[in-house]
Amino acid sequence: PWLGKLRSQGDIASEKASAAATRVLTAQNGVIAEVASAWYELYYFKRALEIMEGNRDLVQHLERVARTRYQTGSSDHPDVIRAQVELGKIENDLASLTDREAPLLARLNAALNRPPQAPVKMPETAPIVDVSLDDQTLVSRVIGNNPELRALSFDVAAATAAKERADKDFFPDFSIGFDYIATGEARSPNVQGSGNDPIAAAFSMTLPIQRGKYKAGVRAAEARIAAQRSQRDQHLNRLEANTVSAVFRLRDARRQIDLYQTTLLPKANESLAATQRAYSAGSSPFADLIDAQRMLLVFELAEARAIADHNQARTTLEELIGESLAPAPANQGVSQ
């Protein structure tokens, strides 16, 4: 082949192999992110179940208190009915929540390539890992480390090498060869050269006279380069948008966690305790007690949801970056 043709073919194969190897990391990151997301959704399910069951026990206690006060004439019968209605609603919500366990387990097992009914130990806690990097740094790390973006860059390089190879089609190829024929023993010993094996030399050259064909090949190669670059730019824009969205969800969830843990939940518990004392003293209606209980339930569920959302947003960022954002364990590298 003309000088450089084989090198261009090698460059094309090398860039395509690099793109394929990098896409293995994309697949791995996708599996890790799906497992983590399913795990944190399972955490929310377990936490919500505990909250709902605790709330059911609380309403059952309130219903017994209302029934006792009604029997002693300290309250009206509607208080008992209201407590029983609230208890029925909680029982219905618990049943609906319990039904979610099977699809959540199936999702996690599918990500782990296991049967849908394979046993899974429920998560006890979910860590709240703060990401100290600023938004612009996160976007820069995603652009610099995203494996799919690097794979698309390898695709562009492969298309560029293919264009270089197409340019060389305008040059001829050469072929040089030698051959011989095994004739065996001489049939005419008296004839000079009889029985000798003939040796032949061959030389050939391709003439690239179909220049329109080769020009079309070059234009096709240029179009592939443009297409690969457009695909890479589109993925880059999508990466930036997904990163900004994930960062917003991360910051928003962290703000909600702080709000519920430091302000709303303590106030809701304080309000419920104060309303219970007021109701026992006969200075507060039962409706206020139910409202305080319902508000506490809403805040507890919202806090659990915010913790799950925070971890899932971090998981999305880790998938985009291609590496963990959680700090390394303190005992990493130490043999146990």
Side-chain angles (χ1 to χ4, degrees):
W2 187 265
L3 295 177
K5 285 187 176 181
L6 290 180
R7 179 184 57 79
S8 296
Q9 289 291 125
D11 291 343
I12 295 171
S14 177
E15 298 295 347
K16 287 184 176 180
S18 297
T22 306
R23 286 192 168 94
V24 172
L25 297 178
T26 300
Q28 290 176 343
N29 292 337
V31 171
I32 293 172
E34 175 60 17
V35 170
S37 179
W39 178 258
Y40 291 125
E41 199 62 34
L42 204 59
Y43 157 79
Y44 172 72
F45 163 78
K46 183 176 183 295
R47 185 75 185 100
L49 199 63
E50 293 173 348
I51 293 171
M52 294 290 291
E53 289 174 345
N55 209 258
R56 178 192 57 190
D57 295 340
L58 173 61
V59 175
Q60 286 176 341
H61 169 70
L62 296 180
E63 192 269 342
R64 288 193 298 268
V65 171
R67 198 161 6 100
T68 301
R69 289 174 58 86
Y70 171 67
Q71 291 171 351
T72 59
S74 302
S75 66
D76 298 328
H77 186 256
D79 291 349
V80 179
I81 300 300
R82 188 174 289 110
Q84 292 174 347
V85 168
E86 188 69 19
L87 185 60
K89 289 172 56 180
I90 292 176
E91 292 286 0
N92 179 67
D93 292 342
L94 263 175
S96 299
L97 184 64
T98 304
D99 289 341
R100 291 187 58 200
E101 181 176 8
L104 289 175
L105 291 176
R107 176 190 173 188
L108 178 59
N109 282 319
L112 294 170
N113 195 27
R114 304 196 309 176
Q117 303 301 326
V120 175
K121 183 180 179 181
M122 289 290 184
E124 296 295 333
T125 58
I128 303 174
V129 179
D130 288 322
V131 178
S132 58
L133 302 175
D134 60 83
D135 297 3
Q136 188 57 46
T137 301
L138 285 171
V139 172
S140 299
R141 287 184 64 175
V142 167
I143 294 174
N145 297 344
N146 183 258
E148 182 59 26
L149 188 62
R150 285 191 282 123
L152 289 170
S153 297
F154 287 128
D155 288 339
V156 172
T160 303
K163 162 67 168 51
E164 296 175 358
R165 176 64 181 83
D167 288 335
K168 292 180 172 61
D169 284 336
F170 292 96
F171 299 98
D173 293 332
F174 301 96
S175 177
I176 300 175
F178 295 92
D179 199 3
Y180 75 97
I181 302 174
T183 59
E185 298 179 358
R187 295 186 178 183
S188 302
N190 297 326
V191 178
Q192 184 179 2
S194 178
N196 293 344
D197 295 340
I199 299 176
F203 174 81
S204 64
M205 181 179 66
T206 61
L207 297 177
I209 58 177
Q210 297 178 337
R211 303 187 68 81
K213 170 186 174 181
Y214 304 132
K215 289 179 180 179
V218 171
R219 289 195 299 270
E222 290 173 344
R224 283 193 292 270
I225 293 176
Q228 293 294 347
R229 285 176 176 170
S230 177
Q231 187 176 355
R232 182 187 61 185
D233 293 343
Q234 183 182 28
H235 186 72
L236 175 61
N237 293 333
R238 189 163 55 246
L239 271 181
E240 293 180 349
N242 291 341
T243 302
V244 171
S245 176
V247 169
F248 165 76
R249 291 189 288 114
L250 183 81
R251 308 295 190 213
D252 184 64
R254 191 65 177 96
R255 184 171 57 253
Q256 292 187 49
I257 292 171
D258 292 339
L259 176 65
Y260 286 117
Q261 291 184 347
T262 61
T263 303
L264 296 184
L265 279 174
K267 293 295 183 182
N269 279 291
E270 182 181 347
S271 174
L272 178 61
T275 307
Q276 282 181 308
R277 290 194 298 269
Y279 176 72
S280 299
S283 59
S284 177
F286 189 76
D288 290 349
L289 186 57
I290 290 296
D291 288 341
Q293 164 268 327
R294 191 178 296 144
M295 181 175 62
L296 178 60
L297 171 64
V298 170
F299 289 168
E300 287 178 333
L301 290 176
E303 184 224 8
R305 182 70 263 173
I307 292 175
D309 289 345
H310 183 273
N311 280 283
Q312 288 175 334
R314 177 175 55 83
T315 296
T316 299
L317 284 173
E318 290 174 343
E319 180 184 10
L320 295 174
I321 294 177
E323 60 186 28
S324 175
L325 292 173
N331 61 349
Q332 187 176 15
V334 180
S335 60
Q336 301 256 340

